[in-house]
Amino acid sequence: MRTRPVLIYDGDCGFCTTSVAFAERRVRPRCDALPWQSLDLDAYGVTQERAEHEALWVTPAGQVHGGAQAVAKALLSAGAPWSVAGALLSLPPLRWAARAAYRLVADNRHRLPGSTAACAVRPRA
């Protein structure tokens, strides 16, 4: 059984890896940040399709949070002052705005600084 949460991200995407590296240096979430390409996703209870679509926060008990809520969980785990931002992102109406902002960024990450060709993912059906 895992004792720490896991932040699963797209290790082939330059924008995603840069964002995670920044978070590890500055925010310091209490988790293991791992690229989905190096994991047995079944062991984490997620599909490759979902891992390609959004960052995922998997608790030691196996609960999965995706997208903006994965970001909120990472912020909450980091302690003050970041945990305040994480708490706010977990509450409506900020949760709804965060979800929309996350989707906008995720769907356009191939256009952002640090992106690579791997950042251009197919939209979900």
Side-chain angles (χ1 to χ4, degrees):
M1 178 167 192
R2 292 181 299 276
T3 59
R4 287 171 46 102
V6 177
L7 177 64
I8 300 173
Y9 67 97
D10 187 346
D12 287 339
C13 173
F15 178 77
C16 297
T17 55
T18 300
S19 298
V20 169
F22 174 84
E24 288 180 320
R25 278 191 324 272
R26 305 291 177 152
V27 179
R28 298 186 179 175
R30 292 179 185 102
C31 67
D32 296 320
L34 303 169
W36 71 259
Q37 291 85 350
S38 67
L39 299 175
D40 173 8
L41 294 174
D42 289 337
Y44 291 90
V46 298
T47 64
Q48 180 175 333
E49 178 186 15
R50 187 165 184 197
E52 290 174 344
H53 183 70
E54 62 189 351
L56 301 165
W57 179 268
V58 184
T59 68
Q63 189 176 23
V64 180
H65 303 273
Q69 286 307 293
V71 173
K73 295 292 184 182
L75 291 169
L76 281 166
S77 78
W82 300 106
S83 58
V84 174
L88 291 172
L89 290 177
S90 300
L91 300 172
L94 288 179
R95 180 176 60 210
W96 307 325
R99 184 181 306 138
Y102 183 93
R103 273 290 29 104
L104 182 66
V105 170
D107 290 345
N108 292 285
R109 61 188 171 147
H110 61 284
R111 295 183 174 108
L112 298 172
S115 66
T116 63
C119 298
V121 295
R122 299 177 318 272
R124 262 184 154 171

